[in-house]
Amino acid sequence: MNERVPAAVASVSAIVILVYACATAPTTNPSPTPNTQQPAAGQQAPGGPPGGPGGPRVPLTDSARRVRDSLNSARRDSASANILRSIAGRENQPAESVFKNIKILKGIPAGRLVAIMNMGFGRSLGVSCGFCHVPGKWDLDDKEEKNTARLMFAMVQTINRDYISKVPVDSGAPRPVVNCFTCHRGNSRPMGPEGPPPGNRPPGAPPGSGE
């Protein structure tokens, strides 16, 4: 019975958030301006279906973005709680002795690995565990996003170790580091120099800051 509590809490939270989003969403939408411009050869008409193949990507409203972020956070927290329960008593053992297929985070405590997955990766990218993993079969490498995350982690380690570590800093000042949040800032894809769209940052994360 206790093992079902986090999942039930996540489900109830999702329903409450969806109801709130619907209640606060705008009730009117401006009529789209017709676009009579003819597309160039080989291009899709600008008035094609939003979000469809070749069509423009429709940005999320603030309410929809809050719903997405809250749902993903609830899913991550629920999965993390279930995993921690399943390894109870082994949290301080090396991650590779508790979990299968650990390739880049060897030697750290298993309990800390779960926290890194939740906050370091999941929150920095604004996604749930299923973005990189097959839920319930965490060791599988079926998703390309998981392999990409390994490459990105190696890139971050190289930048910090071989480059930023050699940059002079003021005496007593903390040495800056880069991490997932440096570029992603709560988005599944890295953001450009202009930063994320307004309202697209995780709660409490200022622009350009790290975790």
Side-chain angles (χ1 to χ4, degrees), residues 10-181:
S11 299
V12 172
S13 300
I15 293 173
V16 172
I17 294 167
L18 288 171
V19 171
Y20 171 78
C22 292
T24 58
T27 56
T28 59
N29 291 315
S31 299
T33 302
N35 192 326
T36 57
Q37 181 181 0
Q38 294 298 318
Q43 294 183 351
Q44 180 166 336
R57 184 175 180 179
V58 179
L60 294 175
T61 64
D62 288 343
S63 294
R65 189 173 293 111
R66 285 193 295 268
V67 170
R68 180 202 63 186
D69 292 344
S70 297
L71 287 175
N72 285 336
S73 179
R75 292 188 186 110
R76 291 196 313 268
D77 290 345
S78 177
S80 297
N82 287 331
I83 294 171
L84 289 174
R85 274 197 302 274
S86 72
I87 65 169
R90 297 183 292 163
E91 299 94 333
N92 295 321
Q93 296 180 17
E96 64 271 23
S97 69
V98 176
F99 299 110
K100 299 177 181 179
N101 198 20
I102 301 298
K103 295 183 177 179
I104 61 171
L105 294 172
K106 295 180 179 180
I108 68 171
R112 185 182 171 201
L113 172 67
V114 177
I116 291 174
M117 290 291 105
N118 187 349
M119 300 299 291
F121 285 87
R123 184 172 182 267
S124 292
L125 274 66
V127 297
S128 60
C129 307
F131 185 77
C132 291
H133 294 273
V134 177
K137 299 179 180 179
W138 312 108
D139 57 309
L140 296 184
D141 288 339
D142 289 18
K143 292 197 171 185
E144 186 60 32
E145 289 82 359
K146 187 176 182 181
N147 293 319
T148 300
R150 288 182 174 131
L151 291 172
M152 299 293 275
F153 183 83
M155 178 191 70
V156 166
Q157 293 293 88
T158 299
I159 292 173
N160 285 324
R161 181 187 64 243
D162 297 344
Y163 298 98
I164 293 185
S165 65
K166 300 175 183 177
V167 175
V169 295
D170 294 335
S171 178
R175 183 170 296 281
V177 296
V178 299
N179 54 31
C180 302
F181 194 81

